[in-house]
Amino acid sequence: VMALSAFVTIDRIEGTIPGLGDVMSKSPTLRAVVSGFLATAVLKIFMTILPWLLHALLQYECVPTKSALQDHLHRWLWSFNVIFVLLVATIGNSLVGVTKLLIQHPNQVFRILAESLPGASNFYLIYVLLHFLALAIEMLRPYFLVEYLVRKVMYGNGTVGLITESCWDGEGVRYSRWSIILAAAIIFSSMQPLILPFALLLFVSGYHVYKYRLLYVDDPQYDSGGLGWVIAAEHILVALGVYQCTMIGLISLRGHWEQTTAMFPLLFVTAAAIRWVWEEQRNWKFLPMESVAE
């Protein structure tokens, strides 16, 4: 992720495309807009391809059911997003470097988050805004049209068959995608308040889009039994813990030690909630739905 962000820059593109540098030099505003959206757009494109790559890897784990496969995708995608996109890319170091620093100085986690995350708030605001385009693609689903045309050319009209959801359009991928948006809104809510109304508008729009798809478009291929929701709840609590650590670091850097001390119990409450949700997952995964409801 960091290599892509560093390689695809406006300076490199100007050196590759003749005449682009002259256009950008005449319009500093256009250069600033393109530079701001470029890294985010490249990251978004990579995250669109990532589910297909993880799906291919999971084929070798002998996952027994489609719902279990989507649960695995949900966890893997979320972990990748949080570690490599939200934290490591923001801090600006390698995963090994960050891990080594935290092992040697675990008490520095608050300072690292407080010094690194505020500078990336505008990046994640643009990241949320780009999901409006992704939501429009969810409505149109051009990838299914392309798949249909390819099958039609290869096999003819009589053997096209029903096109079901693909690996990058399944329940686990959707859960992880929307969980990371909500996580970004929570973590950067105090550092970039403008992200909140856009995230709210995005979720309201997404509610209507997926409601229409579930009622009139999608053909359900499996039943997760509600386990995806429990996993998503655990992930949102993790994001809340990251937000609390960041705010503790920011407040401590300003020397307000009374407020910092008062916020520490919230971390233990969040950790207890994560543990409770983790234990509930076993009930959702192994018990009948009637027993879980009781």
Side-chain angles (χ1 to χ4, degrees):
V1 174
M2 293 180 63
L4 284 173
S5 301
F7 183 78
V8 185
T9 61
I10 188 64
D11 295 329
R12 290 181 179 272
I13 295 179
E14 286 178 352
T16 304
I17 302 177
L20 183 61
D22 296 334
V23 175
M24 292 296 178
S25 62
K26 295 178 181 178
S27 179
T29 303
L30 177 61
R31 178 185 174 86
V33 172
V34 173
S35 179
F37 272 91
L38 191 60
T40 312
V42 171
L43 176 61
K44 180 59 182 173
I45 293 173
F46 175 74
M47 297 309 299
T48 303
I49 302 173
L50 182 62
W52 181 83
L53 299 175
L54 293 179
H55 183 271
L57 292 175
L58 285 171
Q59 298 300 315
Y60 297 97
E61 288 195 6
C62 301
V63 181
T65 62
K66 288 186 177 181
S67 60
L69 177 64
Q70 290 299 322
D71 290 338
H72 280 66
L73 277 175
H74 186 181
R75 293 184 180 279
W76 280 34
L77 284 171
W78 165 263
S79 301
F80 184 93
N81 274 297
V82 170
I83 295 174
F84 292 100
V85 177
L86 191 59
L87 296 180
V88 175
T90 302
I91 293 172
N93 204 336
S94 65
L95 177 61
V96 176
V98 174
T99 304
K100 182 179 179 180
L101 178 62
L102 292 179
I103 292 176
Q104 295 176 347
H105 308 283
N107 60 328
Q108 296 294 314
V109 61
F110 304 104
R111 181 186 62 81
I112 293 174
L113 292 175
E115 292 179 350
S116 304
L117 290 184
S121 57
N122 291 335
F123 175 88
Y124 285 98
L125 174 61
I126 298 175
Y127 185 77
V128 171
L129 291 175
L130 281 176
H131 275 81
F132 283 100
L133 176 60
L135 194 60
I137 296 176
E138 288 283 342
M139 294 179 61
L140 300 174
R141 302 203 296 178
Y143 37 83
F144 280 161
L145 175 60
V146 173
E147 183 178 353
Y148 169 80
L149 294 176
V150 171
R151 289 188 180 187
K152 184 177 179 180
V153 172
M154 294 179 62
Y155 306 109
N157 292 330
T159 56
V160 171
L162 177 64
I163 300 177
T164 58
E165 71 174 21
S166 57
C167 62
W168 55 79
D169 193 47
E171 182 182 88
V173 179
R174 296 178 195 172
Y175 267 121
S176 62
R177 183 188 304 133
W178 288 92
S179 296
I180 200 65
I181 296 172
L182 182 56
I186 292 173
I187 293 172
F188 296 101
S189 58
S190 298
M191 296 168 271
Q192 177 56 277
L194 194 59
I195 199 174
L196 291 176
F198 286 114
L200 177 61
L201 180 60
L202 181 62
F203 272 90
V204 171
S205 303
Y207 168 78
H208 291 287
V209 169
Y210 285 108
K211 178 181 178 181
Y212 178 84
R213 284 188 51 175
L214 289 172
L215 291 176
Y216 303 110
V217 179
D218 290 348
D219 180 27
Q221 301 294 311
Y222 52 84
D223 184 3
S224 66
L227 181 60
W229 184 90
V230 182
I231 298 174
E234 175 194 341
H235 293 165
I236 298 306
L237 288 172
V238 172
L240 180 61
V242 175
Y243 169 76
Q244 291 169 345
C245 291
T246 305
M247 295 309 299
I248 288 175
L250 285 172
I251 294 175
S252 64
L253 288 177
R254 298 188 178 185
H256 302 296
W257 299 108
E258 296 82 3
Q259 293 88 336
T260 302
T261 305
M263 289 184 64
F264 267 103
L266 295 177
L267 287 176
F268 295 100
V269 174
T270 304
I274 294 174
R275 178 178 176 81
W276 179 80
V277 172
W278 177 267
E279 293 176 351
E280 282 296 307
Q281 286 184 31
R282 292 180 295 181
N283 298 332
W284 284 80
K285 187 173 183 179
F286 299 110
L287 295 181
M289 186 66 70
E290 295 78 8
S291 302
V292 174
E294 294 175 359

